[in-house]
Amino acid sequence: MMERLEKLKEKAEGTIFEEIVHSEVESYKKQKQKELKKANINNKWIDQADELFNLYLKICEEYKPQIEPFVSKVELEDRREEEGVVRFTVTNFKDSSLSLQCADLHTLDDYQKLENDQFVETLDEEKEEGGVEFYFNPGETVEEVKYSDIFNTGEPLTALTKIVEPLILELFRKTFDIESLIQIESDAE
C-alpha cells in the first residue's frame, strides 16, 4: 500500500495537483496508522487476556477433583464469548454457591474508548498490555494480574498458580460446610 501511495505522489509531481495529492496521501497514511494502532492495541488486550484465561482454566481443572469430595458440585464455565468471564463455582450441600470469577481487566468501556482517536493518541502501543481480574462479587476485585506479571517469569503456569491458589482456598473456605459433610458421612454408614 505504501508503494502505491508513493506512486500517486510521483504521478502528481510537477503538476498543479502535487500539493493536494501529497497532502491527501499524508493524511491517508496518518489515518491508516491510527487504525492500525487501534487494532493492534485491541488485539493485544484480547490475546493477552485469553492466554491468562487459558492458564486459569488449567489451574481450576487441577483443583476441581480435589474440591469435589467436600462439596455438592464444582463447575468450571468458560463464558468468555457471552459474558467475558471464566467462572469456577463451588456449591455446598446447603445449595449455597460461590464463584471465583476471572474477567478481562479491560472493560467494554475501555474497548469502546479505542474508537476515540484522541484517546488512542495518548496510548503507547508498546506499553499497553492485557490482563485479568479475579473477584467473588462483581465490582469487588480481589486481585488484578497483568500479562507481564505472569509471562515474564519463565514459568507462567506456576506464577499464576501462586496468585490463584489462595483465592481457591478462600472459595473453599467460604463454601465449606462441615455439618453437612458429617451428616453425609453418618448417612453413608
Side-chain angles (χ1 to χ4, degrees), residues 4-5 17 20 31 38 48 56 79 86 100 102 107-109 111 124 126 131 146 150 158 165-166 168 171 179-180 185:
R4 281 184 260 154
L5 291 174
F17 310 111
I20 295 170
Q31 185 57 38
K38 287 177 190 182
Q48 290 180 347
Y56 179 61
R79 306 280 300 166
V86 172
L100 175 58
C102 179
T107 64
L108 288 177
D109 189 44
Y111 285 100
D124 182 341
E126 291 299 311
K146 294 204 176 208
I150 302 304
T158 303
E165 189 174 85
I168 290 175
L171 174 66
E179 287 180 14
S180 295
E185 289 295 318

Side-chain angles (χ1 to χ4, degrees), residues 11-36:
K11 281 183 184 178
E13 255 180 55
T15 70
I16 62 171
F17 310 111
E18 182 176 3
E19 189 177 314
I20 295 170
V21 171
H22 182 74
S23 173
E24 288 297 316
V25 164
E26 291 306 312
S27 177
Y28 184 81
K29 279 183 189 177
K30 284 181 186 174
Q31 185 57 38
K32 289 300 173 189
Q33 287 170 338
K34 283 180 195 175
E35 289 172 13
L36 182 61

Side-chain angles (χ1 to χ4, degrees), residues 51-165:
E51 288 187 54
L52 291 165
F53 279 129
N54 292 336
L55 286 178
Y56 179 61
L57 284 165
K58 282 183 187 175
I59 294 165
C60 292
E61 285 293 345
E62 183 181 319
Y63 284 101
K64 186 178 177 191
Q66 296 176 41
I67 294 174
E68 286 176 328
F70 301 100
V71 296
S72 172
K73 184 167 59 171
V74 180
E75 293 177 286
L76 183 54
E77 298 175 279
D78 186 345
R79 306 280 300 166
R80 282 182 268 191
E81 295 297 319
E82 303 84 357
E83 300 173 40
V85 300
V86 172
R87 270 192 207 95
F88 190 47
T89 305
V90 174
T91 305
N92 66 19
F93 292 102
K94 292 183 179 175
D95 284 333
S96 176
S97 294
L98 186 63
S99 298
L100 175 58
Q101 299 183 64
C102 179
D104 190 332
L105 191 57
H106 294 284
T107 64
L108 288 177
D109 189 44
D110 293 333
Y111 285 100
Q112 288 172 342
K113 284 180 187 175
L114 290 177
E115 297 303 314
N116 180 329
D117 286 346
Q118 281 101 9
F119 175 74
V120 173
E121 285 175 16
T122 67
L123 301 177
D124 182 341
E125 190 175 332
E126 291 299 311
K127 291 181 182 175
E128 283 302 310
E129 68 178 315
V132 293
E133 64 179 354
F134 294 94
Y135 56 87
F136 295 104
N137 299 306
E140 296 176 20
T141 301
V142 291
E143 194 73 51
E144 278 187 10
V145 179
K146 294 204 176 208
Y147 180 84
S148 61
D149 297 340
I150 302 304
F151 284 91
N152 289 347
T153 65
E155 292 289 333
L157 185 61
T158 303
L160 190 61
T161 299
K162 286 180 183 174
I163 293 168
V164 172
E165 189 174 85

